[in-house]
Amino acid sequence: MATAVTHVPAVDPEVRDRSREDVRDWVRRAGALSPVLAVIALLLVPGGGGAQGGTGGTGTIADAASGLLVLICLVRVLRGGARPLTRAAAVVLGLPVLGICLAAITSNDPAASLPGVARYLQIFVLVPAAVLLMIRDRRDFAVVAWGLVGLGLLQGAVGVFQYLTGTGASYMGEDIRAVGTFGPTDVMGMATVVSYGLVVVTGIALGSGPGRARTAALVCAGLLFLPLVLSFSRGAWIATVLACGIQLLLSGPRRAARVALAAGALAVVLVGGLGIGSAMVKERVASITQVAAAPDQSVTDRYTMWAAAGRMWSTEPVTGVGLKGFPAYRDSNASLALSSGSDTAGAGAAFQRQPLLSPHNMYLLVLSEQGLLGLLALAGSWVALLVGALRRRRIGADCALVATGLLAWQLIDFFYADIGGPSTVLMSVVLGLAAWWSLAEVRRA
């Protein structure tokens, strides 16, 4: 009896060698970018202490790694001998220094403002500049971008586990809020990380890169969607929806319609069909619009602190009350509607009252502490990065969509959040990634 012989097609040696070379290239690039990737990876280490608002910081191991990144980059620049930044990059990245230093000098307590100077320079000047200089080309850009996605997947997996096992942060009397390794005192940490990852994969999926990369991006988008929902972070939801919507519109209206339908179907399946946190999610979404009729205490506190920041600015409109000045001037400018703090518990931490040390609005924080001059300098730098990213769309759709999406997300999220907490250092990496695309000398693809 004759047996059928199945012929397995042979793998083209040239294709196999090319794949191996691609792997080696990624490994080499990851090694060269290890100072940047270390900052991203170390955000998986659980941090101690609370998320300090405003210009405060937690001094995590990732912050220490960012300082080492700046030092390594400085050594490379000195050894290279060439001018590290173009004039445009030096102006855009150096613009915030003007408002920061002036606010510290004119502060009523300059000594107390010095930690704020260091923090602002770290987040908005030094680390972004170092990341820009470490990235050499589009493939380096991709390595760092996928590093953000990897961090989002790992933190998201921890967050989903917390929700399923009831070991997350306290939310409506239950320990189900997904916060990853950031803990209950930085409930925005995991939401921020996951949002970054989701914006990155959306840009890759909508781009014109290899099919395997776009397929992987779509899979990652599905995996990142769930922990973002379970974070119950209204600000992150709004920023992510708007940033991804901007990416969709930039990629074309027809594609935008198709992807919007697919995303809607995914949301229906995960939240509606499977019932994952559906009741709480619906209530959280509904609370977004409850700013006048029966707002919850967190909304009341936020608007009260916004009003206090506005009063501080009105007293010192040009230079503000000084860096780290918001907590000192808060009580004299806030109404009695402001509570003494927010309750935090769960995720391995005992119940505690978290003080409200910032207005949870980056623009109002800068306006109150640095005045109109500081806001124009800092926001002007961000707008310049966004304009630069949009102008370069024609020379690389993938990088442009990723950079534009990340910048859009951050600028939108700043209406609901400010710097503070372990995840803040990741913001500086994101700004550096976008700055490379906006300001570096990039060749047409």
Side-chain angles (χ1 to χ4, degrees):
M1 182 177 181
T3 57
V5 179
T6 303
H7 295 282
V8 179
V11 178
D12 189 344
E14 185 177 345
V15 174
R16 182 173 54 202
D17 292 342
R18 191 182 306 119
S19 299
R20 290 177 178 175
E21 184 58 34
D22 288 341
V23 172
R24 294 193 193 100
D25 181 64
W26 272 78
V27 172
R28 286 194 297 267
R29 291 177 181 276
L33 293 167
S34 56
V36 180
L37 298 178
V39 177
I40 298 174
L42 288 173
L43 283 168
L44 290 168
V45 179
Q52 299 299 317
T55 53
T58 54
T60 64
I61 190 172
D63 286 308
S66 72
L68 185 59
L69 164 64
V70 173
L71 182 61
I72 291 173
C73 184
L74 178 61
V75 171
R76 289 187 181 183
V77 168
L78 293 177
R79 291 178 61 183
R83 186 176 67 182
L85 296 173
T86 64
R87 290 182 180 178
V91 170
V92 171
L93 292 178
L95 190 59
V97 177
L98 176 63
I100 294 170
C101 293
L102 186 60
I105 294 172
T106 59
S107 171
N108 293 328
D109 190 355
S113 296
L114 287 179
V117 174
R119 186 63 164 169
Y120 270 100
L121 291 179
Q122 173 203 8
I123 300 303
F124 297 115
V125 181
L126 297 177
V127 176
V131 173
L132 184 155
L133 294 172
M134 294 290 290
I135 297 176
R136 298 163 297 178
D137 53 31
R138 296 168 192 264
R139 289 198 172 187
D140 281 0
F141 182 97
V143 171
V144 177
W146 278 107
L148 295 175
V149 176
L151 176 64
L153 290 171
L154 292 172
Q155 287 286 1
V158 174
V160 173
F161 176 81
Q162 290 171 333
Y163 174 83
L164 295 176
T165 58
T167 57
S170 178
Y171 178 74
M172 297 183 66
E174 299 181 59
D175 294 343
I176 58 171
R177 188 169 190 176
V179 292
T181 64
F182 294 101
T185 56
D186 186 19
V187 293
M188 279 292 295
M190 190 214 70
T192 299
V193 170
V194 170
S195 298
Y196 285 153
L198 191 54
V199 170
V200 169
V201 294
T202 300
I204 295 173
L206 295 174
S208 55
R212 287 182 298 177
R214 295 168 63 186
T215 301
L218 288 173
V219 173
C220 292
L223 295 174
L224 291 168
F225 175 80
L226 181 57
L228 178 61
V229 171
L230 298 179
S231 70
F232 297 106
S233 174
R234 294 169 293 197
W237 290 351
I238 294 171
T240 303
V241 169
L242 294 179
C244 292
I246 291 171
Q247 290 175 307
L248 285 171
L249 292 175
L250 292 175
S251 67
R254 291 184 179 179
R255 176 179 287 182
R258 291 196 301 267
V259 175
L261 289 174
L266 178 64
V268 169
V269 171
L270 291 178
V271 179
L274 301 180
I276 299 176
S278 55
M280 292 184 177
V281 170
K282 290 178 182 177
E283 184 175 346
R284 193 66 167 170
V285 171
S287 69
I288 294 175
T289 60
Q290 294 175 349
V291 296
D296 59 36
Q297 185 60 47
S298 65
V299 174
T300 301
D301 287 340
R302 181 160 301 188
Y303 284 104
T304 302
M305 290 189 293
W306 287 7
R311 295 189 187 99
M312 293 179 201
W313 171 69
S314 65
T315 60
E316 297 288 346
V318 179
T319 58
V321 297
L323 294 176
K324 297 198 71 176
F326 184 88
Y329 289 87
R330 181 198 62 185
D331 292 341
S332 60
N333 288 278
S335 68
L336 295 177
L338 182 66
S339 65
S340 60
S342 59
D343 298 338
T344 62
F351 173 84
Q352 60 178 305
R353 295 285 289 175
Q354 190 72 10
L356 303 174
L357 302 178
S358 74
H360 295 292
N361 180 307
M362 190 64 197
Y363 304 107
L364 289 177
L365 175 65
V366 175
L367 192 64
S368 63
E369 293 189 342
Q370 300 182 40
L372 186 60
L373 183 61
L375 180 62
L376 290 176
L378 199 54
S381 176
W382 302 334
V383 172
L385 292 179
L386 182 60
V387 171
L390 289 170
R391 290 181 61 184
R392 292 186 169 187
R393 272 194 302 149
R394 294 184 179 180
I395 66 174
D398 295 353
C399 295
L401 289 174
V402 170
T404 302
L406 289 172
L407 287 170
W409 189 94
Q410 196 61 70
L411 295 180
I412 295 168
D413 184 68
F414 274 159
F415 284 102
Y416 306 94
D418 48 49
I419 62 174
S423 60
T424 300
V425 70
L426 189 64
M427 179 199 308
S428 64
V429 175
V430 166
L431 291 175
L433 188 68
W436 178 83
W437 176 250
S438 301
L439 302 172
E441 297 180 356
V442 183
R443 297 180 180 178
R444 184 181 295 273

